[in-house]
Amino acid sequence: MQSAAKAFFFSPRFAVAGASSDTRKFGHKVFAWYLAHDLPVTPLNPNQPSIHARSSVFATVADASSLPRPTETSLSVITPPPVTLQLLKEAKQAGVQAVWLQPGSFDEQSLDYAKKEWPGAAVAGGGACVLVHGEDAMGAAGRREGKL
């Protein structure tokens, strides 16, 4: 996990699939974590045109291909397992650099796909969560509060 998490934070941009305005949901908590660490992050949610977080409104994008610069983006995934595999396929096609499958977002098929398509740049399993391990991974990548 350490090397993949480090690779994840080498990206200059980030996105959160499953970002939400609902403060009880992990999609909100993870998106807010990126904001709190002053990282450039885009919320990905095909069902909402915008979300609220940290007293601000953020326009969402509907899919990975709609990210401003997908080839410069690492994607945190907080979607239900039945949605994740298709999301990963779209992200790969869009050129997303790395993925972090948050706990509860994946099944065996989507985990296998992520590890195959992003060798050394897919964080998943073992309880790996950006909320718990993100700061250490940022440090390993030489990133400090939004800067490499």
Side-chain angles (χ1 to χ4, degrees):
M1 182 207 59
Q2 183 74 14
S3 63
K6 180 179 176 181
F8 181 88
F9 278 105
F10 272 126
S11 294
R13 301 173 165 281
F14 302 90
V16 176
S20 169
S21 295
D22 187 339
T23 58
R24 298 168 296 172
K25 293 190 173 195
F26 281 102
H28 177 86
K29 292 174 185 185
V30 170
F31 183 73
W33 184 91
Y34 284 97
L35 295 174
H37 288 84
D38 196 29
L39 295 169
V41 62
T42 301
L44 195 154
N45 187 323
N47 301 315
Q48 300 293 319
S50 64
I51 64 163
H52 301 271
R54 298 181 60 90
S55 303
S56 296
V57 177
F58 298 88
T60 63
V61 297
D63 52 49
S65 64
S66 299
L67 289 166
R69 294 187 186 126
T71 60
E72 297 177 7
T73 302
S74 283
L75 178 65
S76 280
V77 178
I78 308 113
T79 54
V83 174
T84 299
L85 182 59
Q86 184 59 37
L87 171 70
L88 291 174
K89 288 178 180 180
E90 292 168 1
K92 185 63 181 176
Q93 186 172 359
V96 166
Q97 286 187 355
V99 295
W100 192 318
L101 306 180
Q102 302 301 318
S105 69
F106 59 92
D107 54 21
E108 188 174 331
Q109 186 179 15
S110 54
L111 176 60
D112 290 346
Y113 180 85
K115 287 183 176 183
K116 176 182 166 251
E117 296 298 329
W118 287 277
V123 183
C129 179
V130 75
L131 299 175
V132 176
H133 303 100
E135 288 180 12
D136 288 341
M138 278 178 42
R143 182 181 287 277
R144 299 285 182 256
E145 299 299 317
K147 295 183 173 68
L148 277 172

